[in-house]
């Protein structure tokens, strides 16, 4: 199954659970059918003049899935593994994600097939600007609001804002279109929101706190956590979990992972990774790194560790039918988008492993994007304390709703979350006459 087929499969599963509620009405069926495919997919080649004066073409996409509840919203991914099906799936998941936390957006996603690590900074800037030219006619604060995703940063968002402003001027379109509110995840000095960088990880941490409470794991220092992926999301999740007293025993990057039985120090571990370019042998505990303090493990071994909480925080399709039966964690918090295949979902459910799905667990990022957009539109900025104080109840309420639904309907965490999200979107579509 490719990721889009996966997304459609999940929608069909949830539709069968919601069918009775809607008395299988024609409107319901129409809405579900419409939600299987995006409203619009923009696809093409973008050209970049490389440092050696050659011209290179990159395939680019923007998928706008659904905007019944508000403007399309979703990040842009720069990765060699991007495919059209992946972008379609990710845009579908954004629709559910925004509905889960009840923020007034639909869902979209963009992607470029490129390995940004092979580009110079100048080439990366040109690619980012060229991507904006490619989608400029289809975005705007009330149309579609892009943001960072895998390998796209606040700096890239800054170039994109600037390129969009140039585009508006070139096309005699008024700047009232508010270029700042057209992108989120921007740097603080260019309309960014306090707390946006760490928002996804912090939102996941609020989910962790609720989950351990439900699981009755009362002594934080005994709760062990393994995190696959140590990018922005994995790092900030680890940071907050460690700060609160949980034991983060393992983290990994694309090259491999480390296991530190005593619980690792995420800040020192990141410093070590930045110094060496990779995580291996960054065994850092209590502010000190010691080569004998842990052991190197593979990404596969990390997934199979005997920990309380497993956190996939990298890419899709990490937990599959081939490794799901080896997973020993009590619960999984999906901080990556789409890390678990449907076959694996079933295996995990049969094993009684609780799963908090991506569209809930990692919704903190887009939620603070929403706060950023709201601040840009009103030109009035909030303190980090205000941002966190608004994020926390949103994440906690979304988790609580999922839990209630899961208990009442005796369904998995994913189905419980999807039932709430899909219902919100379908109800709005029916109100609008679809
Ligand atoms: N790329 C992030 C996600 O998948 C953030 C999207 C946004 O802020 O619009 O949720």
């Amino acid at each position: 199954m490719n990721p889009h087929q996966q997304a459609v499969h999940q929608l069909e599963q949830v539709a069968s659970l919601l069918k009775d509620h809607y008395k299988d009405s024609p409107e319901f069926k129409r809405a579900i059918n419409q939600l299987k495919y995006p409203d619009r997919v923009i696809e093409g080649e973008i050209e970049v003049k490389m440092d050696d004066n050659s011209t290179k073409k990159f395939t680019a996409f923007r998928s706008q899935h659904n905007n019944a509840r508000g403007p399309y919203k979703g990040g842009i991914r720069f990765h060699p593994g991007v495919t059209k099906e992946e972008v379609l799936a990710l845009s579908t998941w954004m629709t559910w994600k925004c509905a889960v936390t009840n923020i007034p957006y639909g869902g979209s996603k963009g992607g470029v097939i490129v390995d940004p690590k092979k580009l110079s900074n100048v080439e990366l800037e040109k690619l980012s600007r060229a991507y904006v030219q490619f989608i400029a006619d289809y975005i705007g604060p009330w149309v579609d609001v892009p943001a960072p995703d895998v390998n796209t940063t606040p700096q890239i968002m800054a170039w994109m804002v600037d390129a969009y402003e140039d585009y508006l001027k070139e096309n005699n379109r008024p700047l009232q279109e508010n270029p700042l509110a057209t992108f989120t995840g921007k740097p603080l000095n260019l309309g960014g929101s306090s707390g946006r960088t760490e928002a996804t990880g912090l939102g996941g941490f609020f989910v962790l706190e609720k989950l351990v409470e439900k699981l009755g794991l009362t002594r934080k220092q005994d709760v062990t956590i393994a995190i696959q992926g140590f990018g922005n999301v994995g790092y900030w999740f680890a940071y907050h979990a460690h700060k609160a007293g949980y034991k983060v025993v393992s983290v990994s990057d694309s090259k491999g992972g480390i296991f530190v039985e005593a619980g690792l120090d995420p800040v020192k571990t990141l410093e070590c990774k930045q110094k060496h370019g990779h995580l291996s042998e960054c065994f850092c505990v209590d502010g000190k790194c010691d080569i004998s303090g842990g052991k190197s493990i593979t990404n596969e071994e990390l997934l199979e560790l005997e920990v309380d909480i497993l956190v996939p925080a990298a890419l899709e399709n990490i937990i599959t039918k081939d490794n799901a039966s080896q997973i020993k964690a009590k619960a999984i918090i999906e901080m990556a988008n789409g890390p678990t295949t449907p076959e694996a979902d079933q295996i995990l459910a049969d094993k009684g492993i609780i799963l908090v799905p991506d569209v809930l667990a990692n919704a903190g990022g887009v939620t603070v994007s929403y706060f950023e957009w709201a601040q840009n539109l009103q030109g009035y900025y909030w303190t980090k304390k205000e941002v966190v104080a608004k994020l926390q109840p949103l994440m906690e309420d979304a988790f609580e709703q999922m839990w209630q639904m899961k208990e009442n309907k005796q369904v998995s965490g994913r189905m419980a979350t999807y039932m709430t999200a899909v219902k919100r979107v379908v109800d709005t579509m029916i109100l609008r006459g679809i």
Side-chain angles (χ1 to χ4, degrees), residues 62 72-77 90 93-94 97-98 103 105-106 108-109 144-150 152 183-185 196 200 233 335-337 358-359 362-370 372:
R62 182 82 182 163
Y72 299 106
K73 183 83 190 83
I76 301 161
R77 176 174 293 202
L90 289 163
W93 292 328
M94 284 309 300
K97 199 181 293 189
C98 295
I103 57 177
Y105 289 135
S108 57
K109 198 74 157 207
D144 183 359
V145 183
D149 195 72
V150 174
T152 43
F183 297 85
T184 61
R196 174 63 185 89
T200 312
V233 176
M335 294 303 291
N337 288 314
D358 47 8
V359 296
N362 70 27
V366 71
T367 302
V368 178
S369 273
Y370 162 53
E372 180 176 334

Side-chain angles (χ1 to χ4, degrees), residues 133 136-137 164-174:
Q133 291 290 335
D137 277 338
Y164 186 58
E165 212 171 297
D166 287 348
Y167 166 87
L168 292 175
K169 284 181 195 150
E170 278 157 23
N171 290 279
N172 291 323
R173 304 244 307 263

Side-chain angles (χ1 to χ4, degrees), residues 125-336:
E125 175 176 348
K126 286 183 186 162
L127 179 79
S128 307
R129 288 179 182 273
Y131 184 79
V132 171
Q133 291 290 335
F134 165 71
I135 54 165
D137 277 338
Y138 305 95
I139 59 175
W142 298 103
V143 184
D144 183 359
V145 183
D149 195 72
V150 174
N151 289 332
T152 43
T153 57
Q155 169 65 76
I156 290 178
M157 294 305 118
W159 290 326
M160 289 190 170
V161 168
D162 198 60
Y164 186 58
E165 212 171 297
D166 287 348
Y167 166 87
L168 292 175
K169 284 181 195 150
E170 278 157 23
N171 290 279
N172 291 323
R173 304 244 307 263
L175 283 180
Q176 276 92 317
E177 288 216 18
N178 198 338
L180 282 185
T182 305
F183 297 85
T184 61
K186 303 177 297 290
L188 274 179
N189 282 331
L190 191 70
S193 174
S194 225
R196 174 63 185 89
T197 305
E198 66 190 85
T200 312
L202 179 61
F205 165 73
F206 293 137
V207 163
L208 169 74
E209 292 261 86
K210 292 289 287 180
L211 177 67
V212 295
E213 182 191 307
K214 300 284 183 199
L215 295 176
L217 302 171
T218 41
R219 279 172 52 88
K220 288 187 183 182
Q221 62 272 39
D222 294 340
V223 177
T224 52
I225 304 176
I227 305 171
Q228 197 219 28
F230 205 54
N232 180 50
V233 176
Y235 170 73
W236 284 107
F237 185 97
Y239 172 90
H240 287 289
H242 171 78
K243 197 169 139 213
Y246 294 98
K247 211 193 241 187
V248 180
V249 291
S250 187
V251 294
S252 68
D253 58 21
S254 57
K255 297 187 193 84
I258 53 170
F259 177 78
V260 181
E261 194 164 9
L264 58 85
D265 176 342
V267 176
K268 278 276 150 199
T269 306
L270 182 65
E271 277 173 21
C272 174
K273 175 181 155 74
Q274 280 164 346
K275 208 158 114 205
H276 297 115
H278 46 77
L279 269 174
S280 75
E281 300 191 344
C282 287
F283 308 129
C284 307
V285 185
D286 288 340
K288 276 197 283 303
C289 301
D290 178 349
I291 196 121
S292 63
K295 63 176 186 188
S296 296
I297 58 170
T298 64
N299 267 299
E300 265 309 305
E301 286 167 337
L302 182 148
L303 296 177
E304 296 170 14
L305 286 173
E306 218 160 295
V307 288
D308 294 305
I309 314 282
L310 175 64
V311 184
L315 293 169
E316 300 95 55
N317 290 344
I318 297 301
I319 305 176
T320 66
K321 65 177 181 346
D322 302 321
N323 60 14
S325 58
Q326 300 337 314
I327 289 179
K328 298 172 194 73
K330 291 191 182 72
I332 296 175
I333 300 180
E334 291 187 330
M335 294 303 291

Side-chain angles (χ1 to χ4, degrees), residues 82-104:
V82 163
T83 62
K84 184 174 173 178
E85 289 70 30
E86 179 191 64
V87 179
L88 261 58
L90 289 163
S91 68
T92 312
W93 292 328
M94 284 309 300
T95 302
W96 312 143
K97 199 181 293 189
C98 295
V100 165
T101 47
N102 218 355
I103 57 177

Side-chain angles (χ1 to χ4, degrees), residues 20-39:
D20 289 348
H21 173 82
Y22 289 98
K23 304 194 172 60
D24 213 13
S25 68
E27 291 85 357
F28 170 68
K29 285 189 193 150
R30 249 204 328 268
I32 295 294
N33 274 334
Q34 192 169 316
L35 288 163
K36 288 183 186 167
Y37 300 95
D39 291 345

